[in-house]
Amino acid sequence: MFTGIVTDLGEILSVEKIPAGLRTRIKTAYDPAGIDIGASIACGGPCHTVTAKGEDADGTRWFEVESAAETLALTTVGAWQPGKKINLERSLAMGAELGGHLVLGHVDGTARITRRVDHDDSVYFQFEASRESAPFIAKKGSICLDGTSLTVNEADGLLFSVFLIPHTLAVTTWGERGEGDLVNLEVDMMARYAARLAEFAREA
């Protein structure tokens, strides 16, 4: 489980096709000595399991993850290329500060950026969600986009928007994002449970 508070800006070092899908090596500031094989790290939103780790002679620290067919079908992971920056977050430790909202790393799909407007003190992003995800997105609710916990500003039909402050733009990949880009979207799990309960209530 995660919080959607990005703690490192990783970089794709290599991408290799394997029978199960893709194996990706990611450059990180995390100390490999503190990462267990089998640990969970959110990479651009989707939760991945660390399968290898190391530090090269030049001091480059890295870990490897493998992405299966389901992840490749639902997320932007299939488009990863060497040099691409991605948001990283280690899994939540018991007793740690919950600075964002509870995030599972189970991406529901993608959303497309339809508009970006830069202001002096913030940047406005508008997105188009899928018909499957849109009902779970509410004004002033929480949403996780590319592994970042954000507050929904407005929601209307398939469209929703957020405002990002300069700090978020500086420490994540959001500063590079523009109109037409696809981002990984995970709706608030509480919204999913509420919808499921409402479904059973109607059937009853």
Side-chain angles (χ1 to χ4, degrees):
M1 187 169 287
F2 308 91
T3 69
I5 303 299
V6 174
T7 54
D8 186 24
L9 192 57
E11 181 182 341
I12 304 297
L13 293 176
S14 64
V15 179
E16 174 189 1
K17 289 186 177 181
I18 58 175
L22 290 179
R23 177 184 294 124
T24 306
R25 179 170 291 193
I26 301 170
K27 180 181 178 181
T28 181
Y30 300 146
D31 183 356
I35 302 174
D36 293 331
I37 299 297
S40 295
I41 298 180
C43 304
C47 174
H48 280 81
T49 299
V50 176
T51 58
K53 61 178 183 174
E55 183 170 349
D56 295 337
D58 63 1
T60 299
R61 296 173 169 181
W62 55 268
F63 64 90
E64 289 183 351
V65 299
E66 296 180 359
S67 308
E70 177 80 357
T71 300
L72 299 178
L74 291 176
T75 73
T76 62
V77 171
W80 282 356
Q81 294 293 330
K84 180 178 178 61
K85 299 292 180 64
I86 56 172
N87 299 319
L88 300 178
E89 183 188 355
R90 301 283 302 271
S91 57
L92 179 65
M94 292 297 291
E97 179 181 356
L98 181 59
H101 71 284
L102 292 176
V103 174
L104 300 178
H106 301 164
V107 172
D108 294 286
T110 59
R112 185 178 300 277
I113 300 175
T114 56
R115 192 179 179 197
R116 172 176 173 158
V117 181
D118 289 70
H119 302 284
D120 291 338
D121 59 349
S122 65
V123 175
Y124 168 89
F125 283 95
Q126 183 187 70
F127 305 84
E128 183 177 11
S130 67
R131 292 193 176 276
E132 292 75 19
S133 297
F136 301 98
I137 302 171
K139 180 178 180 179
K140 304 305 178 186
S142 296
I143 195 165
C144 188
L145 299 173
D146 272 1
T148 311
S149 174
L150 300 170
T151 299
V152 177
N153 178 58
E154 294 287 349
D156 182 15
L158 301 183
L159 300 178
F160 68 97
S161 63
V162 301
F163 278 97
L164 300 184
I165 61 174
H167 173 75
T168 303
L169 297 170
V171 300
T172 70
T173 60
W174 284 101
E176 304 172 355
R177 293 301 191 189
E179 294 178 7
D181 288 351
L182 287 176
V183 299
N184 295 315
L185 181 154
E186 179 184 335
V187 301
D188 187 354
M189 67 175 179
M190 290 188 290
R192 277 198 287 250
Y193 283 124
R196 185 64 169 160
L197 288 169
E199 179 183 341
F200 273 98
R202 287 194 301 269
E203 291 176 354

